[in-house]
Amino acid sequence: MAEGVSNIAPTLRNFLDLSDAGGDAIAALIGDAIDRKALRQGWPKGRADSDKPLDGRVLAMIFEKNSTRTRVSFDIAMRQLGGSSLILESGTSQLGRGESIADTARVLSRMVDAIMIRTDDHSKAEELAHHADVPVINGLTDRSHPCQIVADLLTMIEHGKALPGLEVAWFGDGNNVLHSILEAAGLMKFNVRIATPAGYEPDKEFVDLAITGGAKVNMTQEAAAAAEGADVLITDTWVSMGQDHAHNKLAVMAPYQVNDAIMAKAKNDAIFLHCLPAHVDEEVSKSVFEGSQSVVFDEAENRIHAQKSILLWCMGMLG
Ligand code: CP
Ligand code: NVA
C-alpha cells in the first residue's frame, strides 16, 4: 500500500438535498465552516489550509447552467482543502452530445474523487449519484439549491441569528432556493413566512417537510404581512434559469419587491439575504441591496466556507 494511503474505506455521502445530511450534520458543517474560516483570516485566498484534508483529491464540476459563485467557490474550496477541481460544460463535453449520465458517472468515478452537478431536472443529479462510486453534490437543480442554504445559515449565525425559532421571510417566486430554505427550516427548527403571488407558491412537498420537522410555515399574498417582525428577509430573482421571461410574471411579482417599506416592517436588526445574481430594482430595491442591513456579499463569500464543509462531509471526514 502506498505511503499515506489508509486501508479504511471512508464513508462516501451524496449531498443532493439537505435531508441527506440531516440537522445534526448541518450544525456540524456550519461549526466547521466557522472554525476553518477563522483560522485563515487574512491569508491569500488560494493558499491551502494547514491540514490539507483533501490533499490530492479532485472534484469534477458539471455545469448545464450558468454559474459564477458556485463555480468559483467550489474551485477555491478545493484549493483551500489541498485538492483541485475541473469543469465539464455540457456544450464542450460528450454529455452535450448525448453520452448517458450513467456512463458519465462510471467514467468520472474512475478519474475523480467527487462530482458536483448543476442541471435542470433533479432526476439527472439523482441518476448521476445512483451510478457514481464517488460523492455527488447538487450545485443547483430546478428543484433545490442545498449548498446555497448552508452558506445562508452560516451567514445568519455569523450575524447573530441563532436558528431555532428564527423568523425568516421569503418574498417573490416560490422557487428552488425557497425549497431548500423550507427543508432547512424543518431540520434546524426556524419558521418561514412566504409571500408569493397566487400560483407561485413553493411545492407542497417542501412546505410539508418543514412542518413535519417542526417549523411553522405561514403562506400569504401580502408582502408586508410576511415582513412584520421578521429576523431575516430573503428574496431571489423572479425568473430563474430556464424559466420563460414571457407572460406577465414581472408585473405579478412587482408587489413582492423587498424595499425600504418592507424592511421597516421587520425587526430593527433584521438582515437581508439574496443568493445572487440580483436584479436590483426588480426583486430588491437598490436602497435595500446596498443598505446597512444587506449581508449579501458576506453570504456570497460564505459559499466558499460552506462548500469546504460540504466536501469534507461528503468525503466522510466530518460529521
Ligand atoms: N447563488 C448562486 O448559486 O450563484 P451562481 O449561479 O453564480 O453560482
Ligand atoms: N433561483 C435561481 C437561483 C440562481 C442561483 C435560479 O435557479 O436561476
Side-chain angles (χ1 to χ4, degrees):
M1 185 180 301
E3 193 182 337
V5 176
S6 164
N7 63 353
I8 301 168
T11 310
L12 300 180
R13 300 147 162 163
N14 298 318
F15 191 76
L16 298 184
D17 272 312
L18 294 165
S19 300
D20 289 341
D24 291 346
I26 289 170
L29 295 184
I30 294 168
D32 175 75
I34 289 170
D35 292 346
R36 282 192 177 274
K37 182 176 178 180
L39 283 172
R40 55 173 303 118
Q41 283 301 310
W43 288 17
K45 296 176 180 68
R47 183 188 290 170
D49 292 353
S50 307
D51 57 346
K52 295 187 182 169
L54 296 190
D55 184 28
R57 309 287 175 101
V58 181
L59 170 74
M61 297 191 271
I62 300 173
F63 283 102
E64 297 195 309
K65 293 186 179 205
N66 292 29
S67 171
T68 297
R69 278 144 290 269
T70 303
R71 175 176 177 153
V72 176
S73 61
F74 265 112
D75 181 77
I76 300 302
M78 284 303 290
R79 294 182 202 212
Q80 292 187 2
L81 293 170
S84 60
S85 75
L86 58 87
I87 288 174
L88 286 163
E89 286 167 320
S90 48
T92 53
S93 68
Q94 299 292 7
L95 260 178
R97 293 181 61 248
E99 185 168 16
S100 71
I101 290 176
D103 287 356
T104 303
R106 290 186 290 178
V107 169
L108 290 180
S109 295
R110 301 288 185 101
M111 296 183 173
V112 303
D113 301 288
I115 307 169
M116 188 233 74
I117 181 166
R118 168 169 286 198
T119 188
D120 43 17
D121 190 338
H122 193 78
S123 67
K124 290 191 197 172
E126 291 175 328
E127 190 181 353
L128 190 72
H130 179 72
H131 291 283
D133 296 330
V134 297
V136 173
I137 299 171
N138 171 6
L140 180 147
T141 65
D142 290 348
R143 169 188 154 98
S144 57
H145 196 3
C147 297
Q148 177 69 52
I149 301 315
V150 178
D152 287 11
L153 300 180
L154 168 58
T155 308
M156 292 179 206
I157 289 170
E158 276 186 342
H159 284 273
K161 312 293 179 198
L163 298 180
L166 206 63
E167 296 292 335
V168 173
W170 174 272
F171 302 86
D173 194 23
N175 66 12
N176 46 2
V177 175
L178 175 57
H179 288 164
S180 290
I181 290 173
L182 283 165
E183 195 165 10
L187 295 171
M188 310 310 287
K189 317 299 176 203
F190 60 85
N191 304 321
V192 188
R193 302 99 168 273
I194 301 168
T196 61
Y200 292 94
E201 295 87 359
D203 287 357
K204 185 173 179 302
E205 172 195 346
F206 285 95
V207 176
D208 291 346
L209 210 51
I211 293 169
T212 306
K216 288 184 206 143
V217 179
N218 190 289
M219 313 258 281
T220 175
Q221 290 172 15
E222 298 294 327
E228 192 71 48
D231 298 291
V232 180
L233 296 88
I234 314 183
T235 189
D236 184 15
T237 180
W238 289 337
V239 183
S240 285
M241 290 181 279
Q243 290 182 347
D244 194 349
H245 275 80
H247 314 302
N248 61 345
K249 190 169 183 186
L250 296 191
V252 171
M253 289 287 165
Y256 299 87
Q257 183 189 73
V258 180
N259 51 34
D260 290 332
I262 291 296
M263 289 303 290
K265 299 267 179 202
K267 287 196 182 135
N268 288 338
D269 64 351
I271 55 173
F272 171 74
L273 296 181
H274 189 310
C275 66
L276 307 181
H279 301 76
V280 172
D281 286 333
E282 287 187 13
E283 70 270 11
V284 55
S285 69
K286 185 172 183 192
S287 56
V288 170
F289 188 77
E290 301 290 351
S292 60
Q293 290 167 279
S294 171
V295 297
V296 298
F297 295 105
D298 291 344
E299 181 185 5
E301 180 196 330
N302 279 337
R303 295 296 305 279
I304 296 176
H305 307 293
Q307 316 297 34
K308 289 167 72 176
S309 298
I310 293 166
L311 285 160
L312 291 175
W313 181 81
C314 287
M315 296 295 198
M317 296 180 185
L318 179 64

